[in-house]
Every structure is written in C-alpha cells, then in structure tokens.
Amino acid sequence: LDLTKHVLFTGEVPHSKVNEFLCASDVFALSTRFEGWANVFFEAMACGLPVITTDICGNAEVVRNGENGLLAPFGDKEALSNAIDNALMTNWNREAIINYAKSRTWDQVADEVYEQFCMILS
C-alpha cells in the first residue's frame, strides 16, 4: 500500500520519547477489544490529539464522540477506517481537547472512583 510515504512504523518507543511522537501526530487511534478508559487516551489528548477508538468498556465515557475524538464499533474495520478519515478531515478544537485532558488529574479521577465505591458500599 506504499504506506511508508505517510506512516512511520517505529516499533517500540521509549516512554521518554512518546510525547514527541504524539505531538508530531494528527490523530491518535487505538483499536482495542479489552482496554477501556486507557491512560494513553489522556496522554494523547494532553498533546491536543483527537482519539479514535472502539466503543467498548468505558471508552465512551472518556472519548466524547465528535468533541474530542470518534468511536467505532469493535470489529467494524470500515467504521474504524471512516472514523480515522473523518478525524483527519475535521478541524478539531485542540485547545479544548488539551483542557479536557488537564481536567482529568490523578486526584480528580481518584476522588471519583472513591465516590463510586462509597455509593456501591452504602
């Protein structure tokens, strides 16, 4: 498919260099079956990237479809391809994406998890 003109296949990237690759990207895509609410979504969003991922587990709670990324049903290759194409053609509000990522601090998320456990246990 002659992808090397448009895609860089890096192999494993040291964690200290991940932000450089994210900042050089146009979108972030993770087609996953099991990994919902992945930390890497927030890492990508902190770099202003819209996230394209599968609509599994808690992904729809993180990726607000059309606002900071796009969701595709798991296993639907055409829908995933279309989501990536659409994301590349969309003029995203990158500052809003960054601000959303900033709002999801470890302390904020920990407080929300704590509140959920308290509700479950009461």
Side-chain angles (χ1 to χ4, degrees), residues 103-119:
S103 76
R104 307 300 299 156
T105 65
W106 282 110
D107 288 340
Q108 175 68 32
V109 173
D111 288 344
E112 291 174 10
V113 170
Y114 176 77
E115 289 172 16
Q116 289 297 316
F117 278 122
C118 287
M119 283 182 13

Side-chain angles (χ1 to χ4, degrees), residues 3-4 7-11:
L3 292 177
T4 56
V7 179
L8 176 62
F9 294 100
T10 65

